[in-house]
Amino acid sequence: MSINPHPTLPDFDYIKPDNIEEAAKFLVEHPGQSRPLSGGTDIFVRLRDGVWKDKFLVDIKHLDGMKEIRFDPSTGLTIGAAVNMNRVDLHKVIHEKYSILAEAARSCASYQLRNRATIVGNICNASPAGDTIGACLLLDGVLNITGVEGSRKEPLDTFFLGPGKTKLKIGDIVTSIQFPLPAKGMQGKYIKHGRNNLGDLSIVGVSVVGVPDKRVASGFRMRLALASVAPTPLVVKEVEELLARKNISLETIIEAAQLASIACNPITDVRGSARYRKQMAKNLSIRALTNVWKKLNG
Ligand SMILES: Cc1cc2nc3c(=O)[nH]c(=O)nc-3n(C[C@H](O)[C@H](O)[C@H](O)COP(=O)(O)OP(=O)(O)OC[C@H]3O[C@@H](n4cnc5c(N)ncnc54)[C@H](O)[C@@H]3O)c2cc1C
């Protein structure tokens, strides 16, 4: 992969289909040359740098339901694929019931960028550093997808196959992401560690949600997901198992954070070494777990 030393946007055709079927058909008829366009915040950088070479960008933002946020008190939350991150951050119900999602959205880049960037774009781009993906995984997000063969649902926990690789097939368009109702008393926290506070990508990101649960020995179910420490966003099952089994205290939280660090398989890059990432995964896991633990205890 070579980076264009004199970056400018290459020529491309902008396609505005009338409906989702037309969009999917166009994508299938132009494999390797076209992709769905949402906020464009990943796409335009990649096109400018010559990493992607698409000839057609197929806009999906205006299609039915893409800009809707719906909350149904009996089934949960649905966020249209073209809803930008600022709308997620400012939505009252999301703040009240799915606060970690608003917090994760708010951690991305700048206000200006969040006016374009979408949660679904963050997911489809499948960067291990995607800041909103951990929250979506812990909230049991499910993608609604339409392709040329019809519509289907894809749970997020099996969606990611590698950096930039997902279960999406050519012609697939994610129309929305849905979340079930949160368990009563759910608390969450996202901690992002970047090189600066100006919206850099994360060196390590830690998402934690916790709920009271009488069915487990500790009385609480705590879940943890990590960003930027493995080829795909990582939910550390061992943390959930340990904190369900043992009484929760600072000691068990440190033990759980150590498990999170062991689960990491990070790379060394310009933002941090693998060793630093593993250590920070532990430190930030302690902080995030403690924060949620304190909130659960009022
Ligand atoms: C300056 C800058 C700062 C950034 N900072 C952060 C940050 O702090 N944290 C972070 O996580 N990310 C960051 N990013 C990356 C980017 O903003 C996010 O990944 C964003 O969420 C992408 O959403 P989008 O709507 O712009 O996606 P797009 O660029 O439109 O699309 C991204 C990819 O997903 C595909 N796609 C998009 N929507 C769909 C759909 N509905 N169905 C099928 N495929 C789809 C596209 O075809 C493309 O391959 C930053 C980017 C820039 C330029």
Side-chain angles (χ1 to χ4, degrees), residues 35-45 52 60 66 81-82 85 107-110 113 116-125 127 129-132 168 172-175 192 199-202:
R35 67 178 68 235
L37 169 68
S38 193
T41 60
D42 279 311
I43 292 177
F44 289 125
V45 173
W52 289 349
I60 51 150
M66 290 284 189
M85 292 196 186
S107 79
C108 288
S110 60
L113 186 112
R116 300 289 307 179
T118 62
I119 302 272
V120 167
N122 203 221
I123 291 168
C124 293
N125 195 55
S127 160
D131 279 307
T132 66
L168 288 179
D172 278 350
I173 297 163
V174 178
T175 53
K192 171 178 179 171
D200 195 22
L201 292 176
S202 58

